[in-house]
Amino acid sequence: MPLLLSLPPEMLDAIFMCFDDLAAVLATASSCRRLHGIYHPRRNFILPRVFRNALGGDGVIAASWRTLDVEAILPNHTFAVTNQVLADVQALKENKTDVPSTLEDCKVLFDRARVVQQLEVLYSRSQKDRRTRTTSRLTPGESDKFRQAVHRLWLLGLYTRTTGIVQDLCTNAATRVPLFYSEYSAQDVYDIHNILDWLDEQVDESLAPQETRRFLGARRFRSLFAGPGNILKAYIEPERAEHHLRCDGPSRLSRDAWKDDVRLVFIRLQLLDETAAKLTIPDGIQPIIVLPEEAGIACSRCGARPGLRLWNGANWDYPPCRLRPEMVLELLPGNLKNNCYERTLLAHYLGITDSLGATFFWDTPRWKQTDTMAKNLLTTAAPPMTAAQILQALCDLPSLLDAEHRSYIQNCAFSGVTNADLLCGGCLIELVKARLWVFWVDVKLRATPKEDGKKPNCPHGYNCASQALKMEHAYDLNHACPDDINTWQEMRAADALVDAKCRNSRSSRKRRAR
């Protein structure tokens, strides 16, 4: 600190100009008298620069400011006429590039800038460079186009959430198109819907599979209604995604009708013929990121090309939401994910807090004692396992297994996969589904050979329905195995033999009775 304060005023002023966070500027300026004396007289010059550093170029600043302006006037149009709403919204041109007039406005825009910056990192990982870690790899031009589109989407979501006539305007293409896209060029609208497509993917990835299927027909509305801020929260906290992405709008808005808005805008701008039934992209319209074709860069299993994010050992630290340790239990096959004994122990071994843990309990001293003993044997000295460690363990699995399970791994769809192989998100999830239960069998047999090594396999395997309901059944039999057809045949034969003996016995008793 003394070294910093010894710098000349012009250098301290230049340091303030390099900030991109309002809170950091205010904290630094209030830390001592000298820094406050530098900041206060120059705040009208420093804040616009900090504001620009945080948001981006003029277009991004204008888009964010327009959202703030429209947000202020919409409550006045709850019962207004359509033409008045459209005229007032269109009057707010995107031509502001100075600093917000109040500190409250400034804080709101800086908070939104932080959300957009974090979304840009996610976008960079999935669309630009899979090796992106905590800093975006977009060029300045790509970054500005991305941020501008996200701020404009923030505004579109604001329209859908507003009650009264403004929300009604969103249901009709004749009023929605001028309300949503007035003052935007064809390229602007194309960028908006490209980013909206990407946000739809983030919603799908964050939601549990059953919730994704439930809202399949309202995907776009869900993304617009939730807004960029809630989509980011759902990505960060996938276990609470349904809470962050809840839609309280009327059912009539739950349509994907606005997927056709790009075609309608292109027709309105005379880039397409009015009779065009399908969207075609005119020459000169380009996506935000144009990647060169990279030879050999594709999913090693399904052949998916760039545009879908690909994973290998270099970027396992940032896996799909469903592969985070707290979510991976849901990828156990069949009903094994609901096994009241296995799931609790696997969560303990991975070092995670299971979201369903409160529903699994042992209500007798015997089960409590057994559960405690197994947990003690399965406790590791290392910190909780990360997604990267789990995936690496699944790749190392074949060399550790016994002959039976090694044969299964060698004959499954992911035979021979290593941490160097690129896999798309779908194939990576299928890899975990195929190997996680085998990994768990290996872990248990090594840690508790006397306890689990002697258990017979349940003939229903991991599809057994009783394992989720009966603690005795879940504990007494091993369910980390597929259906055993041979065992079923043996059981049927044994049952048939017992039935035959019973029939013969009854017949004998009847004959003796006569």
Side-chain angles (χ1 to χ4, degrees):
M1 190 65 160
L3 181 61
L4 176 66
L5 296 178
S6 66
L7 295 175
E10 57 271 16
M11 291 191 67
L12 293 175
D13 182 71
I15 291 173
F16 273 114
M17 294 281 194
C18 293
F19 279 87
D20 66 353
D21 183 87
L22 176 65
V25 170
L26 298 178
T28 303
S30 60
S31 62
C32 69
R33 186 185 299 274
R34 175 164 168 75
L35 292 178
H36 184 268
I38 297 294
Y39 165 76
H40 188 71
R42 295 270 299 163
R43 64 186 183 281
N44 291 334
F45 297 95
I46 293 173
L47 284 181
R49 177 64 67 87
V50 175
F51 191 61
R52 181 177 297 277
N53 293 342
L55 270 73
D58 289 345
V60 183
I61 295 173
S64 62
W65 203 320
R66 188 186 200 196
T67 301
L68 206 61
D69 283 345
V70 174
E71 194 170 13
I73 69 168
L74 282 185
N76 301 325
H77 295 85
T78 305
F79 303 105
V81 296
T82 299
N83 290 337
Q84 180 184 346
V85 177
L86 294 176
D88 287 352
V89 169
Q90 291 172 354
L92 295 170
K93 307 294 184 181
E94 296 200 22
N95 59 0
K96 292 184 177 181
T97 57
D98 51 344
V99 74
S101 56
T102 68
L103 187 60
E104 289 72 21
D105 287 347
C106 198
K107 288 179 178 178
V108 169
L109 293 183
F110 271 106
D111 288 342
R112 292 178 180 175
R114 281 283 163 259
V115 170
V116 177
Q117 287 173 358
Q118 293 178 70
L119 287 173
E120 184 181 327
V121 173
L122 302 183
Y123 186 72
S124 176
R125 287 181 197 152
S126 61
Q127 303 295 318
K128 179 68 180 284
D129 193 328
R130 63 183 179 276
R131 295 163 295 186
T132 301
R133 302 190 72 79
T134 58
T135 304
S136 168
R137 297 199 178 198
L138 270 59
T139 65
E142 293 168 345
S143 176
D144 279 351
K145 293 182 72 174
F146 172 82
R147 296 183 182 196
Q148 183 172 264
V150 174
H151 281 290
R152 286 169 170 167
L153 281 171
W154 218 309
L155 176 58
L156 302 194
L158 179 62
Y159 293 144
T160 63
R161 291 189 297 274
T162 302
T163 58
I165 191 173
V166 178
Q167 196 175 73
D168 293 337
L169 298 179
C170 300
T171 64
N172 187 342
T175 51
R176 182 176 66 248
V177 169
L179 177 67
F180 276 20
Y181 313 110
S182 62
E183 309 302 326
Y184 296 161
S185 68
Q187 181 68 61
D188 292 337
V189 176
Y190 184 71
D191 290 344
I192 287 172
H193 279 265
N194 267 348
I195 299 303
L196 191 51
D197 285 338
W198 176 75
L199 290 176
D200 289 345
E201 295 173 7
Q202 307 315 302
V203 167
D204 285 352
E205 184 178 322
S206 301
L207 288 170
Q210 61 270 22
E211 293 297 332
T212 300
R213 290 191 294 270
R214 178 180 162 197
F215 290 95
L216 193 60
R219 194 176 284 160
R220 180 134 304 193
F221 169 72
R222 194 180 186 92
S223 300
L224 278 173
F225 192 93
N230 284 324
I231 292 176
L232 178 63
K233 290 178 182 177
Y235 183 88
I236 294 173
E237 300 179 308
E239 67 278 6
R240 302 189 68 230
E242 178 56 28
H243 168 74
H244 293 308
L245 298 173
R246 66 184 184 276
C247 292
D248 301 324
S251 58
R252 68 179 184 275
L253 287 178
S254 299
R255 300 289 185 270
D256 270 348
W258 28 62
K259 279 200 169 184
D260 199 39
D261 284 1
V262 178
R263 181 182 68 87
L264 298 177
V265 170
F266 284 0
I267 290 175
R268 188 176 182 181
L269 296 175
Q270 299 181 346
L271 296 176
L272 286 180
D273 188 84
E274 291 186 3
T275 60
K278 293 184 178 180
L279 173 64
T280 56
I281 307 302
D283 294 338
I285 303 295
Q286 294 288 331
I288 292 176
I289 296 175
V290 180
L291 290 176
E293 287 290 332
E294 296 182 76
I297 303 299
C299 176
S300 59
R301 182 170 181 267
C302 71
R305 304 294 299 173
L308 290 176
R309 187 179 169 194
L310 300 175
W311 279 267
N312 63 8
N315 61 342
W316 280 344
D317 289 335
Y318 301 97
C321 288
R322 290 180 64 193
L323 290 185
R324 297 179 187 182
E326 62 271 20
M327 307 291 285
V328 79
L329 297 177
E330 298 299 327
L331 297 179
L332 289 167
N335 286 319
L336 189 62
K337 67 174 68 68
N338 299 316
N339 187 301
C340 51
Y341 173 72
E342 304 282 1
R343 178 168 175 142
T344 303
L345 290 183
L346 178 55
H348 172 75
Y349 177 76
L350 297 178
I352 61 177
T353 301
D354 183 11
S355 59
L356 297 182
T359 66
F360 298 149
F361 58 91
W362 311 108
D363 58 359
T364 66
R366 176 193 170 193
W367 300 117
K368 289 180 181 179
Q369 181 181 6
T370 303
D371 186 39
T372 302
M373 291 172 57
K375 283 185 175 181
N376 290 338
L377 291 171
L378 287 164
T379 298
T380 59
M385 291 187 73
T386 64
Q389 290 172 327
I390 294 172
L391 290 169
Q392 184 61 56
L394 298 186
C395 286
D396 295 339
L397 198 54
S399 61
L400 305 174
L401 300 174
D402 57 28
E404 178 185 355
H405 290 104
R406 191 181 304 118
S407 175
Y408 165 81
I409 292 294
Q410 290 172 350
N411 288 285
C412 76
F414 294 93
S415 175
V417 69
T418 70
N419 63 357
D421 293 322
L422 290 172
L423 293 173
C424 66
C427 290
L428 196 63
I429 288 172
E430 291 302 316
L431 168 67
V432 177
K433 286 183 177 179
R435 291 193 173 188
L436 182 61
W437 69 271
V438 186
F439 164 76
W440 177 230
V441 170
D442 179 68
V443 168
K444 282 198 307 174
L445 291 179
R446 290 174 184 274
T448 59
K450 295 181 180 179
E451 185 71 21
D452 289 284
K454 299 178 181 179
K455 290 182 180 180
N457 289 345
C458 175
H460 295 278
Y462 46 60
N463 290 313
C464 173
S466 299
Q467 62 184 311
L469 304 172
K470 300 177 180 179
M471 289 183 292
E472 294 87 349
H473 183 79
Y475 173 76
D476 290 336
L477 298 179
N478 172 46
H479 291 88
C481 58
D483 291 346
D484 193 334
I485 297 176
N486 294 328
T487 301
W488 270 110
Q489 292 173 344
E490 293 172 3
M491 288 181 65
R492 290 192 185 99
D495 289 343
L497 182 60
V498 170
D499 289 343
K501 288 181 178 179
C502 290
R503 287 194 297 270
N504 292 337
S505 178
R506 285 195 296 269
S507 299
S508 299
R509 285 196 300 269
K510 287 180 181 179
R511 285 196 298 269
R512 286 195 298 269
R514 291 172 186 167

